[in-house]
Amino acid sequence: MRCGSLCQFLYLWLCLSCVEAVPTQKIQDDTKVLIKTIITRINGISHMQSVSKYMVTGLDFLPGFHSVLGLSMMNEILETYQKILINLPSRNLMQISNDMENLQHLLQLLASSKGCHFHQAEGLQSLKGSILEASLYSTEVVVLNGLKAFLQTMLRQLEFSPEC
């Protein structure tokens, strides 16, 4: 009985010792590529091309500009945009929403490689019945423009290997 447990432990230890961790730089590079892909998808939405400046009142829950972003703040902002995107009924947003979810996973992987821990973002419990339903087209444009600007800032911040 003891020999079986010892053999299992040694086998597990041998397997784990052969596993290589994904380099942090590789995760960071994959994150940058995915950000560029999302920005390209946003630019590819036809009604985003002709927009100069839309203003929609009641969208004060959108994240504002931050000059310095840590990984935790990036995650919180991504989570906020993700909650907004899944509540907009546009077919254009399905792939962007999926990419955003993948981006969050990459960011969490990057953070865990640096020993960071994320907390659940607060606020935006439910967006049903809110301004999102009042003017969907304008809201979509404003949200995507804000997301694009945030992603561009995030891309620049990732060049400096941000901390937690």
Side-chain angles (χ1 to χ4, degrees), residues 5 30 143 153:
S5 296
D30 289 348
V143 168
T153 302

Side-chain angles (χ1 to χ4, degrees), residues 21-141:
V22 177
T24 303
Q25 187 60 46
K26 171 84 169 106
I27 299 169
Q28 197 162 337
D29 291 344
D30 289 348
T31 303
K32 291 177 191 176
V33 168
L34 187 53
I35 289 171
K36 290 175 184 176
T37 302
I38 295 170
I39 291 171
T40 302
R41 289 190 201 284
I42 291 171
N43 289 336
I45 296 174
S46 61
H47 60 267
M48 293 297 292
Q49 302 298 326
S50 61
V51 175
S52 57
K53 281 282 189 191
Y54 268 93
M55 297 287 291
V56 178
T57 58
L59 293 178
D60 44 338
F61 54 82
L62 286 176
F65 176 76
H66 299 283
S67 58
V68 178
L69 294 167
L71 294 173
S72 180
M73 179 64 75
M74 289 179 192
N75 184 60
E76 284 182 34
I77 294 172
L78 282 176
E79 213 170 295
T80 300
Y81 275 111
Q82 180 67 3
K83 287 178 182 177
I84 296 167
L85 287 177
I86 62 175
N87 282 287
L88 292 172
S90 174
R91 283 179 266 152
N92 297 321
L93 303 179
M94 190 180 319
Q95 186 60 51
I96 293 173
S97 182
N98 290 338
D99 289 343
M100 290 282 293
E101 188 174 334
N102 292 333
L103 180 57
Q104 281 184 282
H105 290 299
L106 279 173
L107 193 63
Q108 290 166 0
L109 188 60
L110 182 61
S112 68
S113 74
K114 294 182 175 213
C116 305
H117 301 285
F118 291 152
H119 303 288
Q120 187 73 15
E122 297 177 18
L124 289 179
Q125 303 305 328
S126 174
L127 296 173
K128 296 289 184 195
S130 69
I131 189 68
L132 297 184
E133 294 175 357
S135 63
L136 293 173
Y137 176 81
S138 299
T139 302
E140 179 181 330
V141 171

